Amino acid sequence: MNDILEKPRKIYVTRKIEFNAAHRLFNPELSDEENRQFYGKCSGEFGHGHNYLLEITLSGFIDRKTGYLFDLKALKQILEEEIVSRFDHRHLNHEVGELAGHVPTTEILAVIVWEILESRLQAITKQGVSLHEVTIHETGKNSVTYLGE
Ligand code: NI
């Protein structure tokens, strides 16, 4: 049998996770009128909820010994600890330190999730596995992707 891993094979592995959270799109530095203009219904005083679906993609070369890129059980555990426990059933404007002072748009959330995971994953990036992509679906129709650039 030929050795298909004789040449390095770059691969992308994705794990999905979900959390539910509330937010209000409101910038206190803007007037009420501007907030209504930018954020419409999403600026409503009491906020509203979303069922967020995240796709976290790692990239790197298949390990010759295991045939894996990275153990998905370990990734699941990291995502539970770093993301679900931090965001699930929280009000993003008030209960998540990393978001303090930011308007919690999905774009901002994607960057914050990237930063949290990037620092947690430093140990594995030394082994040649990288965080490649964070995609957040805020609704069935709207999603945001951040590639760390
Ligand atoms: Ni919203």
Side-chain angles (χ1 to χ4, degrees):
M1 198 173 74
N2 69 335
D3 179 4
I4 57 165
L5 295 182
E6 188 177 6
K7 74 171 188 181
R9 304 283 185 170
K10 186 157 190 194
I11 208 100
Y12 299 82
V13 169
T14 300
R15 170 94 196 165
K16 292 183 187 177
I17 55 165
E18 291 175 286
F19 65 79
N20 307 314
H23 73 167
R24 179 192 187 195
L25 299 183
F26 183 85
N27 185 340
E29 292 173 10
L30 302 177
S31 67
D32 286 356
E33 178 53 36
E34 281 177 303
N35 272 293
R36 266 195 301 276
Q37 186 190 330
F38 288 144
Y39 303 123
K41 277 194 303 186
C42 298
S43 69
E45 183 177 358
F46 301 109
H48 58 274
H50 288 285
N51 301 321
Y52 291 97
L53 170 65
L54 282 71
E55 297 178 57
I56 309 299
T57 302
L58 304 180
S59 68
F61 293 96
I62 299 175
D63 185 280
R64 288 184 68 89
K65 200 192 286 178
T66 62
Y68 285 152
L69 172 69
F70 184 68
D71 182 355
L72 282 180
K73 289 196 302 297
L75 181 59
K76 175 177 184 234
Q77 180 71 27
I78 289 170
L79 295 176
E80 290 285 337
E81 288 171 19
E82 299 292 341
I83 305 301
V84 178
S85 69
R86 192 181 251 110
F87 294 103
D88 193 35
H89 286 76
R90 307 286 172 167
H91 196 303
L92 300 180
N93 298 67
H94 305 294
E95 299 185 79
V96 180
E98 289 80 0
L99 280 164
H102 300 290
V103 179
T105 61
T106 312
E107 287 86 338
I108 298 288
L109 195 55
V111 173
I112 299 280
V113 166
W114 177 283
E115 291 294 322
I116 291 166
L117 291 178
E118 179 82 330
S119 62
R120 173 66 190 260
L121 292 171
Q122 262 172 5
I124 67 163
T125 56
K126 289 190 187 99
Q127 301 158 31
V129 179
S130 315
L131 182 57
H132 173 72
E133 176 178 326
V134 171
T135 291
I136 303 182
H137 301 266
E138 187 183 62
T139 67
K141 289 182 176 165
N142 297 336
S143 70
V144 164
T145 294
Y146 183 56
L147 299 173
E149 296 162 327

